[in-house]
Amino acid sequence: MQDSDACVQPTDAPSRLTGTASWYVGRAALRAQQNTHQHLGCAGFRKWHYGVLATVAELGPSTQAEIGRRLGVDRSDMVALLGDLESAGYVHREPDPTDRRRNRVTITDAGKQQLVELDALVLAANDQLLAPLSPAERTQLLALLRRVVEAP
Amino acid sequence: MQDSDACVQPTDAPSRLTGTASWYVGRAALRAQQNTHQHLGCAGFRKWHYGVLATVAELGPSTQAEIGRRLGVDRSDMVALLGDLESAGYVHREPDPTDRRRNRVTITDAGKQQLVELDALVLAANDQLLAPLSPAERTQLLALLRRVVEAP
DNA sequence: CATATATCAGGTGCACTGAAATGA
DNA sequence: CTCATTTCAGTGAACCTGATATAT
C-alpha cells in the first residue's frame, strides 16, 4: 500500500455540500494550510511561528497577549509558540519594567533575517494556491473574503 | 476572568498576513467551522457526521472507502465516524456479499429524517457566514473558491 | 504475486477550557 | 476587590501515518 490518502482531492462530493460556501471555504483552507505547512516546514517553521514573527516585526516590541489578539491565537498557545522562537534565538522575552505582569517580546536580528526568507516561502505557497486565478480574480477573491471575515 | 478568548476576531493583523489569500481563507474557514459546529452541535452532530449522512443519502448504499473518497475524509477516521452514526441508528453497516472486504453502508429512515433537520442547521450556519454578501456576490465567491479547490 | 478494504494504534498541529500565580 | 497577564494542565476535533488481517 502506497496510498497515503493525504493531499488526495475528494471527488464528487454530495450536492448538499457542493452547494455550500462552507464546504469550499473549508477545502480551500485545507489546501492553503497544506501549502504553507509544506513550504514553511522545510525551514522548520509552522504557520503561527511566521505569524508571530511578522507581528513582532511590524509592531515592534509587544506583549504576548497583544500578539495573540492580533493573530487570533489563544494566550495559552502563545506560550509554547514564543518558547520555540525564543529558544531558537528569533525573539527575545523580557519582563516589562512598567508593568511586571507583561513580557516584552522583541524580534532579534536573526529573527528579522529569517523572516525575510520565510516571506518568500509564504509567497510561493500563496501563488500555488491561487494558481488557477488571474490577478484580477485574486483581488476579487481577497475582497470578498475580507468582507466575510471582517463582519461584525 | 470571563475572557473566553474564543470567537474573538483578531484585530489589525500584520500586513504580511492581510496581504495574503491564505490568511483570509483560513480565517473564513475557522468562522465557517465555528458556525456549523455550533449549529450542528446543538443536535449532537459534527460536520463529518453530516457529510457522511449526506453522501450515503445521495449515493445510496456505499462502502466506507468510497464515502471517505467523496468527502476527503481519511479511511481511518471513517471507522469511528460510522461507528457513531450506526450506534445512533442513523446508518446500517453490513458486509457486502459480493466482495467480503467491503462494508455496505446504508442510511436508515431515522437517518434520512435526521438529515432533513440537519440541512436546515447547515443552511443557517451558511447564511450566517455569508451575511455580509449579496446573493450575486455569494455566487461569485463560490465560483472563485470552486476554481481554487478543483485545481489539478 | 499485487491490490483494496476495514480496522487499530498512535502522532501532530491547532482551537479551546479552566485554573493558578502574579501584579496593576 | 476587580481586572489583566503569563503559565500550566488538559480536552476535543481534524488530519495524517503505519501496520495488520482479510479478501480480491
Side-chain angles (χ1 to χ4, degrees):
Chain A
M1 186 201 297
Q2 46 94 310
D3 223 2
S4 147
D5 254 22
C7 301
V8 173
Q9 288 305 109
T11 54
D12 279 318
S15 65
R16 269 167 230 253
L17 297 182
T18 57
T20 68
S22 294
W23 170 254
Y24 287 107
V25 167
R27 297 314 305 180
L30 179 58
R31 183 174 273 225
Q33 165 74 24
Q34 288 169 336
N35 284 349
T36 55
H37 191 268
Q38 182 187 339
H39 279 83
L40 288 181
C42 299
F45 284 77
R46 291 179 315 222
K47 66 171 179 175
W48 290 129
H49 292 137
Y50 176 75
V52 169
L53 278 187
T55 308
V56 185
E58 293 185 21
L59 244 73
S62 330
T63 69
Q64 301 187 191
E66 179 61 19
I67 301 169
R69 256 176 246 123
R70 301 263 177 173
L71 292 172
V73 169
D74 196 273
R75 66 212 186 284
S76 176
D77 297 313
M78 287 296 309
V79 177
L81 225 39
L82 283 168
D84 295 341
L85 290 172
E86 184 172 41
S87 66
Y90 298 130
V91 301
H92 179 235
R93 262 195 288 200
E94 55 186 348
D96 185 330
T98 77
D99 183 344
R100 294 195 351 265
R101 291 169 302 182
R102 304 183 171 182
N103 273 343
R104 266 174 68 91
V105 180
T106 319
I107 192 169
T108 65
D109 287 341
K112 288 178 197 169
Q113 191 177 338
Q114 184 66 54
L115 181 56
V116 177
E117 293 178 26
L118 298 182
D119 282 338
L121 299 177
V122 168
L123 193 65
N126 246 268
D127 268 3
Q128 190 174 324
L129 177 74
L130 299 179
L133 303 185
S134 73
E137 289 167 332
R138 299 182 186 198
T139 315
Q140 208 170 31
L141 176 62
L142 212 78
L144 289 171
L145 286 175
R146 240 191 274 264
R147 304 241 322 270
V148 166
V149 163
E150 280 161 9
Chain B
M1 188 198 297
Q2 46 93 310
D3 222 1
S4 148
D5 254 21
C7 302
V8 172
Q9 289 305 109
T11 54
D12 278 319
S15 65
R16 269 167 229 252
L17 298 181
T18 58
T20 69
S22 295
W23 169 253
Y24 287 106
V25 166
R27 298 313 306 177
L30 180 59
R31 184 174 272 224
Q33 164 75 21
Q34 287 168 337
N35 284 349
T36 56
H37 192 267
Q38 182 186 340
H39 280 83
L40 289 180
C42 300
F45 284 77
R46 292 181 316 230
K47 67 171 178 172
W48 292 127
H49 292 138
Y50 176 75
V52 169
L53 278 187
T55 307
V56 185
E58 294 185 21
L59 246 71
S62 330
T63 68
Q64 302 187 191
E66 179 62 18
I67 302 168
R69 255 175 247 121
R70 301 263 177 173
L71 292 172
V73 169
D74 195 274
R75 67 212 186 287
S76 175
D77 297 313
M78 287 295 308
V79 177
L81 225 39
L82 283 168
D84 295 343
L85 291 172
E86 184 172 42
S87 66
Y90 297 131
V91 300
H92 179 234
R93 261 194 289 198
E94 57 187 349
D96 185 330
T98 79
D99 183 343
R100 294 190 357 257
R101 289 170 303 183
R102 301 182 172 183
N103 271 346
R104 265 174 69 90
V105 181
T106 319
I107 192 169
T108 65
D109 287 343
K112 287 178 197 168
Q113 192 177 337
Q114 184 65 52
L115 182 56
V116 177
E117 294 178 27
L118 298 183
D119 282 337
L121 299 177
V122 169
L123 194 65
N126 246 267
D127 268 2
Q128 190 174 325
L129 177 73
L130 298 179
L133 302 185
S134 74
E137 289 167 332
R138 298 181 188 199
T139 316
Q140 209 170 33
L141 176 61
L142 213 75
L144 288 170
L145 286 174
R146 240 191 273 265
R147 304 241 322 270
V148 166
V149 164
E150 280 160 8

